[in-house]
Amino acid sequence: MKTFGGKVLFLDRSDINTDEIIPAKYLTEISKEALKPHMLEDLKLEGFNPQDPAVLASKVLVTRANFGCGSSREHAPWVFEVNDINVVIASSFARIFRQNMFNCGMLAIELPEATIDELFALKADDATIAIDFDKDMLTISSAKGTKTINYRIAEFDKALVKAGGWVEFADSKY
Amino acid sequence: MAMTLAEKIFRSHLRDEPFPGTKVLNIDVVLCHEITTPIAINDLVARGKDRVFDPSKVKVVIDHVTPSKDTKTATQAKILRDWARRQNIRDFFDIGRNGVCHAIFPEKGFIRPGYTVIMGDSHTCTHGAFGAFAAGVGTTDLEVGILKGVCSFRTPETIRVNVNGKLPEGVYAKDVILKVIKHLTVKGATDCVIEFQGEVVKAMSMESRMTLCNMAIEAGGTSGVCMPDEVTVEYLWPFISEEYADKAAAAADYRKWWSDEGCTYKKVLDIDVTNMEPQVTVGFKPDEVKNVSEVVGTPVDQVYIGSCTNGRIEDLRVAAAYLKGKEISPLVRGIVSPATPKIFRQADEEGIIRIFMEAGFCVTNPTCGACLGMSNGVLAPGEVCASTTNRNFNGRMGKGGMVHLMSPAVAAVSALAGKIADPRTFAKETI
């Protein structure tokens, strides 16, 4: 199983699409590692710099609604994976992106909009999120405070994370 | 119990329900292209599982960048080509015979009512036009599909869209789907199937139905679907004529997939198109849609007609009807890409290729190319494209570029005007 948790990257926008996460011109790469320098390269967000060291040091992404909409490219979860971001927390996900995350043994955690607001309220340079995978719990800590939140993911998605992904799960079962 | 078309397909293809709410389905057709498949192939090889569950159910095309533009794209094509040969996949379409996946696979008769279809491409929802459940998936789902012939889904709910009234002159399936996306928003159909019903859909050709279903994903939908009927039978007849005594028998058989009276819909959306204007997107999301009259005069640098949304013969005919005997604005670059070799040949025979060329269009080979900014028509920063494609995301056709989505009719007259124009104010010739 992957390790989850660490420094938080807050992206305060809805409908961030897969072309913004990893532009199509990099889909000609045939290794995940080659995607690494291009994470969020085309993101349209005021003041965001994809090369900011704080962005590159992040381990958890917190964002708004419909994250990962658009293309089916698994290069979107992969570019996070090779940058050590194994958790994305959002108020909702596009279906294919969400499935791709779990298929790779990564975590896509959906929380109500009000709870996402609470996470954003604790936004600070030092914000971190710790994940207790077995208890379905996350704790956010920053200079502004600490908060523990229970989340729910589907049983199947949890099984995929435990198995290490869909190939592992399916290969032993079908 | 009364069921939707999607529920019937889920019931008939259920392989396993590992947890409540998760269904693992047997897949009838696994479609592959050179962008998302090579990493799956390499991973299967690395795992010592370089196998295919059933080579007759795997269909393969090189379409996104073809002919290859550089070493990287040539390598992707080679991985796919070598694999198709090694696995004895007979339905493999390479240069000279290749076309845009969601145009060529239906054209070959691979998609049938009641089928489950997956592909590592979000616009796989197109194939739901045949009354199939067709979903775009990532590379891992594709890899398991190739190896095991299964894929997992949450049980989808269905949103029914009734398209009623009569399409006015200059208004087409593309305008209808843009309007639907505007209503549903880019996330309104997440985890849902969008079912297109109503008299307008019933009267539509398979090409138009494919245009509708193609953009279901732009509202977040898992698959678009239409009820398979006489129009579906007519399209598929060359492939199914030995299975049925006559066309009526085929149509009667396909009715078994229709959503039942009294089935449960998550939502029903009624749209009357009688007074609808042509629709055009603004901004960077496909639900930012306006009436053409609100955007007429917006300057454009390039006009692109093609893609899995609007690169079929019907689309080329519509565009050619506006372009015949005219020349496009010197301020605009026109590019047309017939979606398959068959469409290209047909357009040639009908004199449509000549109309495009005389109008000043560049006619390219069938490819996805420009739609996603990979080749054959990439924009420079600050440039604007009037396009019959399906996504207007920031940088989609090239970093810093902007895309307005529209029908082939609006695209054609915009090429003539050098700015976004309203086809209802232009003369249309007979082709």
Side-chain angles (χ1 to χ4, degrees):
Chain A
M1 206 169 86
K2 294 192 186 305
T3 53
F4 304 112
K7 208 180 150 329
V8 185
L9 169 61
F10 291 91
L11 298 178
D12 197 358
R13 214 202 84 194
S14 287
D15 305 315
I16 292 174
N17 66 61
T18 50
D19 277 75
E20 295 179 287
I21 297 168
I22 182 78
K25 63 184 171 199
Y26 302 119
L27 304 188
T28 61
E29 300 293 348
I30 50 167
S31 84
K32 298 179 187 179
E33 207 56 38
L35 304 172
K36 195 170 177 175
H38 307 297
M39 179 177 73
L40 296 165
E41 196 173 281
D42 277 356
L43 179 64
K44 214 174 171 61
L45 183 65
E46 189 77 24
F48 178 78
N49 169 14
Q51 295 309 319
D52 185 337
V55 169
L56 299 173
S58 305
K59 307 279 186 234
V60 178
L61 203 161
V62 174
T63 184
R64 301 285 181 180
N66 198 30
F67 186 77
C69 60
S71 153
S72 66
R73 65 190 68 157
E74 202 159 305
H75 306 68
W78 292 337
V79 77
F80 291 134
E81 187 183 18
V82 295
N83 280 286
D84 284 329
I85 295 177
N86 289 327
V87 187
V88 181
I89 301 168
S91 62
S92 62
F93 291 96
R95 185 196 73 86
I96 307 175
F97 177 84
R98 183 191 67 215
Q99 194 62 50
N100 288 346
M101 286 286 287
F102 289 114
N103 282 350
C104 292
M106 298 160 76
L107 267 177
I109 298 173
E110 220 169 279
L111 293 172
E113 274 176 35
T115 314
I116 294 288
D117 286 341
E118 291 175 2
L119 296 182
F120 271 97
L122 297 178
K123 181 179 170 180
D125 289 343
D126 66 341
T128 58
I129 284 181
I131 306 277
D132 188 331
F133 181 76
D134 292 322
K135 292 185 180 153
D136 297 323
M137 248 165 51
L138 64 87
T139 303
I140 180 165
S141 314
S142 80
K144 292 179 177 170
T146 296
K147 190 165 177 60
T148 295
I149 291 160
N150 291 299
Y151 63 83
R152 278 184 58 192
I153 56 172
E155 279 181 87
F156 175 63
D157 297 334
K158 200 160 182 176
L160 291 180
V161 174
K162 276 188 192 157
W166 172 230
V167 177
E168 288 75 4
F169 184 96
D171 199 33
S172 61
K173 212 164 157 31
Y174 305 110
Chain B
M1 209 182 91
M3 286 193 289
T4 61
L5 178 144
E7 286 165 347
K8 291 180 183 185
I9 295 176
F10 267 58
R11 186 184 60 175
S12 63
H13 288 75
L14 188 65
R15 169 76 163 266
D16 185 25
E17 198 167 355
F19 297 96
T22 300
K23 297 217 161 63
V24 174
L25 304 185
N26 289 317
I27 303 300
D28 293 310
V29 203
V30 177
L31 307 174
C32 301
H33 64 51
E34 87 281 16
I35 297 297
T36 53
T37 319
I39 292 186
I41 295 168
N42 287 352
D43 194 58
L44 286 170
V45 171
R47 290 172 188 267
K49 295 179 186 298
D50 184 19
R51 299 189 296 271
V52 169
F53 83 109
D54 181 346
S56 72
K57 293 182 175 180
V58 179
K59 316 290 181 185
V60 184
V61 69
I62 295 172
D63 66 352
H64 272 55
V65 186
T66 182
S68 303
K69 63 174 179 175
D70 55 16
T71 307
K72 284 179 178 174
T73 53
T75 302
Q76 287 181 309
K78 181 171 164 48
I79 293 170
L80 199 70
R81 189 179 294 125
D82 291 349
W83 171 72
R85 288 177 187 161
R86 185 165 82 234
Q87 298 297 343
N88 298 310
I89 296 167
R90 283 194 312 183
D91 294 314
F92 169 58
F93 303 96
D94 207 334
I95 293 178
R97 295 182 170 81
N98 57 355
V100 175
C101 51
H102 307 307
I104 198 164
F105 290 136
E107 193 182 274
K108 298 287 177 186
F110 296 154
I111 317 297
R112 308 287 172 82
Y115 269 22
T116 50
V117 183
I118 61 166
M119 182 174 198
D121 191 287
S122 62
H123 293 106
T124 306
C125 50
T126 310
H127 308 289
F130 290 83
F133 174 77
V137 297
T139 291
T140 301
D141 271 337
L142 180 71
E143 182 174 339
V144 171
I146 288 167
L147 185 64
K148 303 282 181 181
V150 299
C151 192
S152 81
F153 292 97
R154 291 185 185 180
T155 318
E157 294 183 283
T158 297
I159 295 173
R160 177 173 171 147
V161 178
N162 295 316
V163 188
N164 290 317
K166 191 174 179 298
L167 282 175
E169 185 62 32
V171 178
Y172 301 89
K174 180 63 161 286
D175 303 298
V176 175
I177 187 60
L178 288 174
K179 192 86 173 174
V180 169
I181 295 163
K182 182 183 185 176
H183 278 290
L184 292 175
T185 78
V186 288
K187 58 176 186 290
T190 302
D191 285 312
C192 292
V193 165
I194 306 177
E195 185 176 298
F196 298 98
Q197 294 260 23
E199 57 196 340
V200 175
V201 180
K202 223 174 155 35
M204 275 182 184
S205 64
M206 285 314 299
E207 284 83 356
S208 287
R209 293 178 191 184
M210 283 190 259
T211 301
L212 285 184
C213 291
N214 174 269
M215 291 187 74
I217 181 69
E218 308 313 330
T222 306
S223 182
V225 296
C226 297
M227 300 302 115
D229 60 8
E230 290 77 7
V231 178
T232 321
V233 169
E234 198 60 44
Y235 186 100
L236 288 175
W237 191 245
F239 311 102
I240 61 171
S241 59
E242 288 180 8
E243 289 173 40
Y244 296 100
D246 54 29
K247 290 176 183 173
D253 183 42
Y254 288 166
R255 269 196 83 106
K256 68 182 178 222
W257 296 110
W258 288 22
S259 291
D260 295 324
E261 236 4 90
C263 65
T264 308
Y265 290 109
K266 186 187 181 190
K267 184 176 176 177
V268 178
L269 181 66
D270 291 297
I271 292 187
D272 192 308
V273 297
T274 310
N275 297 311
M276 206 172 97
E277 279 192 34
Q279 304 290 299
V280 177
T281 65
V282 295
F284 298 106
K285 293 196 298 162
D287 61 357
E288 296 179 81
V289 177
K290 288 193 170 174
N291 289 329
V292 70
S293 56
E294 298 173 81
V295 289
V296 160
T298 307
V300 298
D301 302 290
Q302 176 171 301
V303 172
Y304 183 77
I305 298 176
S307 85
C308 57
T309 316
N310 282 122
R312 299 186 180 83
I313 190 67
E314 175 180 294
D315 304 312
L316 304 189
R317 283 184 192 134
V318 166
Y322 290 100
L323 295 170
K324 191 175 180 182
K326 302 192 185 91
E327 277 187 58
I328 63 174
S329 161
L331 299 172
V332 165
R333 311 182 295 269
I335 301 172
V336 57
S337 176
T340 69
K342 184 183 172 188
I343 295 165
F344 201 130
R345 198 174 308 123
Q346 209 172 342
D348 186 34
E349 284 163 10
E350 294 180 19
I352 290 170
I353 297 296
R354 190 185 175 130
I355 292 170
F356 274 111
M357 293 186 79
E358 287 179 353
F361 264 78
C362 162
V363 184
T364 84
N365 64 300
T367 179
C368 306
C371 169
L372 70 167
M374 290 193 92
S375 64
N376 285 28
V378 179
L379 300 176
E383 287 192 325
V384 177
C385 184
S387 181
T388 69
T389 55
N390 42 53
R391 288 207 171 117
N392 56 346
F393 295 161
N394 176 37
R396 173 75 177 178
M397 292 182 85
K399 197 176 178 76
M402 157 112 200
V403 182
H404 292 281
L405 305 177
M406 58 186 65
S407 72
V410 182
V413 298
S414 300
L416 296 174
K419 51 199 177 189
I420 295 179
D422 185 342
R424 297 170 303 171
T425 62
F426 282 75
K428 207 173 150 189
E429 303 291 329
T430 315
I431 299 296

